Amino acid sequence: MENSGYGGDGVFRSLRPPLVIPPDPYASMIPFLFRNISSYPNKPALFDSDSGETLTFSEFKTTVAKLSYALNNHLGITKNDVVLIFAPNSIQYPICSYSIVALGAIVTTVNPQLTVEELLTQIQDSKPKIIITVQELYQKVENFGLPVVFLGSKSSRNGCFSYQDLISKSGSVSELPNVAIRGDDTAALLYSSGTIGVRKGVILSHKNFIAASQMVTSDQRLMGEQDYVHLCFLPMFHIYAFGVILYSQLQEGNTIVSMGKFSFHGVLNNIDTYRVTHLWAVPPVILSFTKQNVIKKFHISSLKVIISGGAPLGKGLLMECAKRFPHVFVLQGYGMTETTAAISMGSPIIEHGVFSGSTGRLLPGIEAQIVSPHTNNYKSLPPNHIGEIWVRGASMMQGYLNNPQATMLTIDEHGFVHTGDLGYLDDEGYLFVVDRVKDLIKSNGFQIAPAELEARLFSHSEILEAAVIPYPDNERGEVPIAFVVRFPNCFLTEEDVKRFIANQVAPYFQLRRVIFVDRIKKSASGKILKRVLVEEIRSRI
Ligand code: 4UV
């Protein structure tokens, strides 16, 4: 049992070396990010594979300093103000994020696919002072009455500012702002529906990011290797790219290649052009790799590691991918927005040639309990027993914004985040995520909150009851489907319901199927029995 990290107190502890978080003066993210760059000022920090722009670490720091100065001087952004970024991936994304955070202000990010109404919900909740966006998305933000900063070169006009102009106005500024920031000050509000309900602002502190970055890159430091190049096509608004790829890798002195839109050929071309070593993906991307026969035509010898995360990756798919890239380690990472980055991750050091389907061992400083979801006495389970995964460590969120009730239900008094995922740790401390007990759908790695779709369905005058659950899909992993009870003598069709929803939500939120039923199964207390519906659907496929 001791090989699993399982202790007599029912807690599994990480088998990796202990977590070391450097003390002050690096309590805040941005001084920490740039703490070592005098050793590699001319090394490329960022490439933009779409625009061809590039920045060395020294230029990156200076640009962050200039934009921070401009945000403060021209837009009045100061400590604790919220700035919203509504944009696709680009080299400017991390620059804007870190310029905001360097001021002690708070960055909140949004999926560019969201509708105006969905965006409004986040604006009302997080109360940003300004919005940073691109010309193509301006229509969605123009009526909020907030100052807008445009990425790109568009010139400043009428409450709109150009990123480029702001940087130019900062002249010779090259030092980061001098603001007193504490480790537990908020750095980011990333939205997640968590284990239940609608999207909520996950409060992540400076210390959360610093700790997470040290966890995620601990194996790299053990291997003593540097000069990794990470390709980032995963959306930068999401914790996986925001925390694991951007912040964690940049603070380690690794290079990021930003890619605005995923395409299979684009990825292979970029691996070749930028000599990419690390590719971060979600299972649907891994699936697309296994279907292609053209890999041999590209020069991808630089590639060392492919990491899949965000949703379960079957062992078969993992092995198929490893066959296509014989010289590459294919690993899994497992994490949540609420844990800032990864909880567990495979390792090229200890897992050479092992394709168990696990999500790797717990990262440094992470403690876990596996708790039976069927009992009320919270007895933690030993190795090889499946239960709900609870995790604790320095990267756990501070709570949900404006939602103490949801915070209380997610983090307990001992600091454990209840993930809503089912899994087990084996005899050697490998974590297997096998299912989900929470009310969440993961489609293409994106979160879909069933409660949000249900609320929209309930708003339809001909719908009496509705329940939304995940439905397996080969390409996307899962898609949402709805069980709907119509009011008597209503003749609403499946197409009517799908169209009604499609008009209100981002494309990835759309319903794949609508099943009309006479009633929806509920518990004695009137709660919809989602698990029963999920099991029923699974048994029919
Ligand atoms: O909050 P969120 O949208 O966050 C994420 C975070 C993903 C990753 C992936 C690899 C990393 O190295 C890392 O640091 C972060 O997706 O959704 C959290 C939920 O997604 C499911 C699980 O239900 C989480 O509670 N999930 C994430 N990764 C996996 C996963 C996985 N490897 N296997 C199964 N489910």
Side-chain angles (χ1 to χ4, degrees):
M1 265 200 205
E2 57 276 19
N3 288 344
S4 66
Y6 185 65
D9 56 356
V11 175
F12 290 86
R13 293 191 168 76
S14 173
L15 295 165
R16 287 178 152 106
L19 174 68
V20 181
I21 306 178
D24 288 333
Y26 298 125
S28 67
M29 276 173 78
I30 307 309
F32 187 77
L33 168 67
F34 293 122
R35 71 197 180 285
N36 291 328
I37 68 160
S38 59
S39 317
Y40 45 82
N42 299 321
K43 187 173 166 183
L46 293 159
F47 288 111
D48 191 316
S49 66
D50 302 304
S51 69
E53 286 165 271
T54 166
L55 287 177
T56 63
F57 271 93
S58 159
E59 291 164 337
F60 176 32
K61 183 181 170 194
T62 307
T63 314
V64 168
K66 285 186 199 297
L67 187 61
S68 283
Y69 180 83
L71 288 174
N72 179 241
N73 274 268
H74 302 294
L75 288 140
I77 300 300
T78 55
K79 194 167 177 202
N80 294 329
D81 286 339
V82 175
V83 177
L84 184 142
I85 305 184
F86 185 57
N89 287 6
S90 71
I91 197 170
Q92 285 91 18
Y93 208 110
I95 293 169
C96 292
S97 305
Y98 304 149
S99 304
I100 297 161
V101 171
L103 288 165
I106 299 164
V107 56
T108 189
T109 62
V110 190
N111 182 343
Q113 292 187 49
L114 292 202
T115 61
V116 175
E117 193 198 329
E118 290 169 315
L119 182 54
L120 177 63
T121 312
Q122 186 164 330
I123 287 180
Q124 285 170 337
D125 191 49
S126 63
K127 304 193 172 43
K129 265 194 142 177
I130 61 170
I131 296 178
I132 299 178
T133 190
V134 291
Q135 183 63 35
E136 301 76 56
L137 293 171
Y138 181 59
Q139 263 197 329
K140 289 193 187 178
V141 305
E142 65 182 336
N143 292 325
F144 293 127
L146 290 168
V148 171
V149 173
F150 281 120
L151 301 179
S153 55
K154 200 167 188 319
S155 58
S156 307
R157 62 173 164 89
N158 283 341
C160 297
F161 299 81
S162 125
Y163 165 91
Q164 218 47 267
D165 287 354
L166 289 173
I167 301 258
S168 306
K169 277 186 190 169
S170 296
S172 60
V173 170
S174 64
E175 290 305 314
L176 295 170
N178 186 10
V179 184
I181 297 171
R182 290 196 342 221
D184 54 6
D185 283 338
T186 303
L189 288 172
L190 301 191
Y191 276 68
S192 158
S193 62
T195 54
I196 194 151
V198 298
R199 258 173 293 214
K200 296 172 276 293
V202 177
I203 304 171
L204 299 175
S205 69
H206 286 255
K207 190 170 161 206
N208 285 153
F209 281 100
I210 292 173
S213 72
Q214 297 311 286
M215 294 175 186
V216 167
T217 53
S218 66
D219 289 346
Q220 290 180 27
R221 277 190 301 283
L222 276 184
M223 289 164 81
E225 287 190 40
Q226 280 179 330
D227 300 332
Y228 289 134
V229 181
H230 295 254
L231 186 60
C232 185
F233 52 78
L234 293 179
M236 292 178 182
F237 66 81
H238 185 261
I239 190 64
Y240 191 179
F242 193 90
V244 184
I245 311 180
L246 294 180
Y247 186 72
S248 296
Q249 305 307 331
L250 286 167
Q251 65 78 32
E252 201 63 24
N254 291 319
T255 304
I256 301 291
V257 180
S258 160
M259 203 176 155
K261 208 168 174 210
F262 172 79
S263 83
F264 181 71
H265 283 85
V267 166
L268 293 178
N269 264 324
N270 284 335
I271 295 174
D272 183 3
T273 308
Y274 299 100
R275 308 308 296 149
V276 167
T277 58
H278 286 64
L279 197 86
W280 299 83
V282 289
V285 169
I286 303 283
L287 178 70
S288 77
F289 285 164
T290 62
K291 287 187 174 164
Q292 303 283 343
N293 287 317
V294 294
I295 294 171
K296 287 198 187 95
K297 294 190 187 145
F298 291 82
H299 297 286
I300 56 161
S301 56
S302 59
L303 193 63
K304 291 175 189 287
V305 183
I306 298 177
I307 305 112
S308 172
L313 179 70
K315 194 171 156 183
L317 193 52
L318 186 139
M319 291 179 74
E320 194 57 39
C321 179
K323 254 195 257 164
R324 299 272 162 156
F325 296 90
H327 65 291
V328 172
F329 296 112
V330 184
L331 311 169
Q332 273 203 81
Y334 160 63
M336 290 173 81
T337 311
E338 287 80 350
T339 64
T340 315
I343 295 163
S344 65
M345 206 180 268
S347 162
I349 308 175
I350 45 175
E351 282 178 308
H352 192 156
V354 178
F355 301 117
S356 64
S358 89
T359 64
R361 285 173 161 167
L362 299 177
L363 288 181
I366 295 284
E367 297 180 340
Q369 288 192 79
I370 301 295
V371 178
S372 169
H374 306 300
T375 57
N376 283 330
N377 60 1
Y378 300 120
K379 192 172 175 307
S380 63
L381 300 169
N384 301 312
H385 286 70
I386 294 177
E388 187 184 357
I389 304 164
W390 292 7
V391 286
R392 179 164 72 180
S395 56
M396 302 302 132
M397 67 165 176
Q398 310 300 298
Y400 292 114
L401 184 70
N402 306 325
N403 204 331
Q405 175 74 5
T407 304
M408 218 173 61
L409 289 172
T410 307
I411 306 193
D412 65 28
E413 70 268 35
H414 305 292
F416 280 101
V417 165
H418 299 196
T419 65
D421 294 314
L422 284 183
Y424 66 96
L425 283 114
D426 72 6
D427 290 326
E428 298 187 319
Y430 287 95
L431 177 64
F432 291 77
V433 182
V434 298
D435 203 349
R436 217 183 284 138
V437 277
K438 61 184 160 192
D439 201 13
L440 175 71
I441 299 170
K442 268 307 194 70
S443 191
N444 225 356
F446 290 128
Q447 286 194 2
I448 296 177
E452 287 183 26
L453 286 170
E454 286 157 8
R456 293 180 194 283
L457 289 167
F458 284 133
S459 74
H460 193 291
S461 59
E462 294 181 41
I463 292 178
L464 179 61
E465 280 188 299
V468 173
I469 62 162
Y471 188 79
D473 177 81
N474 280 344
E475 303 284 323
R476 309 188 130 250
E478 292 175 348
V479 288
I481 64 167
F483 287 84
V484 168
V485 182
R486 285 172 287 205
F487 272 107
N489 303 321
C490 287
F491 302 99
L492 202 61
T493 65
E494 176 166 6
E495 275 320 303
D496 294 337
V497 178
K498 282 185 178 171
R499 210 174 316 115
F500 174 71
I501 291 296
N503 287 337
Q504 304 178 55
V505 295
Y508 69 96
F509 249 73
Q510 292 178 19
L511 290 172
R512 175 67 57 87
R513 278 178 67 190
V514 178
I515 300 167
F516 292 109
V517 288
D518 292 335
R519 66 183 190 93
I520 293 177
K521 285 184 186 151
K522 299 207 193 71
S523 66
S525 61
K527 207 165 164 240
I528 291 176
L529 294 168
K530 287 266 177 97
R531 287 297 296 174
V532 175
L533 292 176
V534 170
E535 298 301 336
E536 250 179 48
I537 280 289
R538 283 184 188 171
S539 69
R540 279 201 231 161
I541 296 166

